[in-house]
Each structure stands twice: as structure tokens, then as C-alpha cells.
Amino acid sequence: MKFLVTGAAGFIGYHASERLLAGGHEVVGIDNLNDYYDVNIKLSRLNRLRDNHAFQFIKLDLADRPGIAELFSQGQFQRVIHLGAQAGVRYSLQNPLAYADSNLIGHLNILEGCRHHQVEHLLYASSSSVYGLNRKLPFSADDAVDHPISLYAATKKANELMSHTYSHLYQLPTTGLRFFTVYGPWGRPDMALFKFTQAMLAGRDIDVYNRGDMCRDFTYIDDIAEAIFRLQEVIPQIDSRWTVETGSPASSSAPYCVYNIGNGQPMKLMQYIQALENALGIKAKMNLMPMQPGDVRETSADTEPLYRATGFKPHTSVIEGVKNFVNWYRDYYQQ
């Protein structure tokens, strides 16, 4: 089939594109190649994808309404995997308007493209951050997510609401993917594992928030890509029996669904750092800091619905995943 992947030069977009190509599909990737982090790593990812003749790249901003409309008009995509967005909880505190352009206007442009060009299935990136003030663990897609604590999280919740509206009005099948702390080779330089590795190899202290009293459902990138690959085949259906009163918020009478994509085995931040110390052979020097605004103390994913739908659960251990990242980092940066 022919897929559109947005954010194809990004961390998850690159791996998802690679998995689709390995599955024999044709992929058109778009990205605006912004400088939120080092553009060179984005270009390196794209160069690897370009080695496959079934991949085509178009530089395009999600907020470019005429450009996105033209893309859909010419593309004749059967399915869309929308992973492009302005990422980062902490960055949203300093640059909120970037999130409106990319995550709200951009998402609406993708929905409009899918609506007008009979796309079979739209999968889009949501986030575990939508759980916000929720305290019941593990986080379940059956629970309400009405209290986000960062603008980034609020835009992801808005994406789910916008998608449901289009599923209801236009019978566009949409699937939301709530990703939990993704890590691994070709990762984002603004994320903890990358920053910790960079600092430790340079002999600098690492900044550890909430003095290390945090727990995350760290999910390896290959597991994320495999979950996306399997879920694109699971197209939501209309369910006339569903009601707001008796049904799950993760489904609907419309062809709409939301899944957690997490490892299901949360780990304390200090254990994560220890896994990195072992992989690098370096003891971390820590700068213990207070909790950052917008952060949550703990995340944990209920992945049973994902397993029921696809027969797959993320399973890569943190020890293995961190080791793979370190091997990639040393090779890429020749350290």
C-alpha cells in the first residue's frame, strides 16, 4: 500500500517508515526539518530511508494548509501515519505558540486531507502525557483524561477530540497512539537518555529531576514501530451498540480508537541511570534538581487492549535497549 508518514525525519517517524518499507509498502515522508534539535541527525535518518527506492521525501510544514491540500490531492494515499508534531513537555513552557501551529493547525490539516481523499485509516501520535493528574496505575485508555498539566499534553488531548469529531462526522477511521517515554537508537537529543549519555561521556554532571524520585514506562523504539505496523491493519469500525454511558472513552460508536503503546513494566529513573552507567562503563555525577513544571512523577501503561488487537506487546528490556542506544551513539558520534 501507499502510506503518508508525517514527521518522517523524526525519531518515531523514521523508525515507523523503516518498518513499513521492510513490510513492502511505499512511503511518502514529509517533515519541515525545523531546528528544535540538531537538523543533522534528521538528515542522517532521511539518508538511510532514501536508500530504499520505495521511499520519497517532501519537505513540508504541517501548518502549510495549501501545501498539505496539494500533497493529498496528488498523493492518493491509502493510509496515513501522522507522527509529525512539536514535541517536548518542557519546551512547551517557553514556546507555546509553536504547539498551536504544529499540533493543532497541523493536525486539522491532516484530518481535512484524509477526509477529502478517502483515506482508509489515519493513525496519529498522542502521548502518555494526556493522563496528567491521573493517579490510578497503570494508566488505562478506559479512564478519563480531562486534566493535562502541560500545553503539550493539552494539544495531544485536543488531537484525540478532533479525530473523534472527524470519525463521527465523516466516518474516517482514526486510531490514537499514546506513546510512553520512547527511547533507543536514533533518539531525540532533547530526551533524557541522549542528554545523559552526552554529558557522561564529556565528564559533566547530569540533571536529575525530582531528585531521581520518578518512574517511567520506558518503551524501546523497535517495539513502538512494530505496534504501529500492526495497528495500521486494525481499522476501527462503527459500533452502534456503544454509548457514552456504558462504553470506554477509548472507543466510540464512530470508527475511532485509542491505545496505550508502552512497555507495561515501569522502571525507577535511578535504575534507568544505572543501566546507562553499566552500558557506558562510567559512573554518573548527578545534579539533583526539583520537579519540573508539567512533569508527572510516574507513568505506567495498561497494554492489554493493544495485545488483544494485535497479538503484540512491547517487550524489549531496558538493559538491552539502553545498551543498543549506547552502541549506536558511540558509532554515530565516533566516541
Side-chain angles (χ1 to χ4, degrees):
M1 287 181 293
K2 187 175 185 182
F3 283 80
L4 170 65
V5 176
T6 73
F11 177 32
I12 301 177
Y14 158 67
H15 283 276
S17 297
E18 196 171 54
R19 181 66 183 89
L20 289 168
L21 292 167
H25 298 294
E26 180 182 353
V27 176
V28 175
I30 68 167
D31 202 292
N32 67 359
L33 298 176
N34 68 30
D35 61 358
Y36 169 62
Y37 61 80
D38 182 11
V39 175
N40 288 320
I41 195 169
K42 299 180 182 182
L43 296 175
S44 295
R45 294 175 186 139
L46 284 179
N47 286 337
R48 289 172 62 89
L49 291 173
R50 285 189 175 112
D51 287 341
N52 191 311
H53 66 86
F55 178 79
Q56 176 191 359
F57 177 69
I58 300 170
K59 185 179 179 182
L60 184 61
D61 196 298
L62 290 169
D64 179 353
R65 182 178 172 186
I68 295 294
E70 177 69 12
L71 173 73
F72 274 91
S73 177
Q74 299 295 323
Q76 298 182 321
F77 307 114
Q78 289 159 284
R79 296 181 186 175
V80 174
I81 300 180
H82 175 37
L83 302 170
Q86 179 56 62
V89 169
R90 291 166 191 149
Y91 188 70
S92 69
L93 303 176
Q94 286 81 43
N95 296 274
L97 294 180
Y99 293 76
D101 292 340
S102 183
N103 299 13
L104 299 178
I105 294 172
H107 191 76
L108 181 57
N109 287 339
I110 294 298
L111 285 168
E112 277 288 283
C114 291
R115 166 201 171 191
H116 288 293
H117 295 280
Q118 291 74 53
V119 167
E120 293 175 2
H121 191 189
L122 166 64
L123 295 92
Y124 61 93
S126 186
S127 167
S128 62
S129 66
V130 300
Y131 288 102
L133 292 177
N134 286 25
R135 291 293 175 263
K136 182 175 74 67
L137 296 173
F139 293 149
S140 169
D142 291 336
D143 298 333
V145 287
D146 296 327
H147 299 90
I149 58 173
S150 69
L151 181 66
Y152 169 70
T155 64
K156 290 300 182 180
K157 166 68 172 174
N159 289 168
E160 294 181 5
L161 295 172
M162 294 161 74
S163 298
H164 181 267
T165 301
Y166 271 65
S167 294
H168 174 76
L169 289 174
Y170 309 114
Q171 289 72 57
L172 169 66
T174 67
T175 298
L177 311 170
R178 292 178 180 168
F179 297 130
F180 281 69
T181 315
V182 188
Y183 75 100
W186 296 98
R188 283 181 10 218
D190 64 313
M191 295 193 72
L193 184 59
F194 203 112
K195 292 195 294 185
F196 289 172
T197 301
Q198 194 173 45
M200 288 167 66
L201 285 171
R204 300 194 308 268
D205 293 0
I206 63 173
D207 293 336
V208 180
Y209 293 106
N210 204 38
R211 295 171 179 83
D213 184 20
M214 299 176 81
C215 193
R216 288 286 183 273
D217 203 333
F218 297 104
T219 312
Y220 189 62
I221 185 60
D222 287 1
D223 289 337
I224 293 283
E226 184 63 28
I228 292 170
F229 184 79
R230 295 196 186 202
L231 279 172
Q232 56 87 15
E233 292 281 14
V234 184
I235 301 177
Q237 303 295 316
I238 292 171
D239 181 1
S240 59
R241 298 166 300 172
W242 184 94
T243 66
V244 170
E245 293 76 18
T246 62
S248 164
S251 57
S252 175
S253 52
Y256 165 91
C257 206
V258 173
Y259 293 93
N260 287 334
I261 317 292
N263 196 42
Q265 300 181 53
M267 173 178 275
K268 292 182 183 299
L269 179 57
M270 288 303 194
Q271 292 176 297
Y272 190 60
I273 293 170
Q274 186 177 31
L276 178 58
E277 289 175 329
N278 292 338
L280 285 171
I282 299 172
K283 185 70 175 174
K285 296 178 288 185
M286 301 184 205
N287 179 25
L288 300 179
M289 302 176 69
M291 181 75 101
Q292 284 276 100
D295 270 357
V296 298
R297 183 177 170 276
E298 188 170 2
T299 65
S300 176
D302 172 12
T303 59
E304 278 301 317
L306 172 67
Y307 180 73
R308 289 197 299 269
T310 65
F312 175 75
K313 275 187 181 181
H315 58 269
T316 305
S317 73
V318 165
I319 290 171
E320 179 186 353
V322 167
K323 188 179 297 183
N324 290 346
F325 172 81
V326 166
N327 290 340
W328 167 82
Y329 186 98
R330 286 188 182 277
D331 180 65
Y332 184 76
Y333 289 103
Q334 296 296 296
Q335 291 188 23

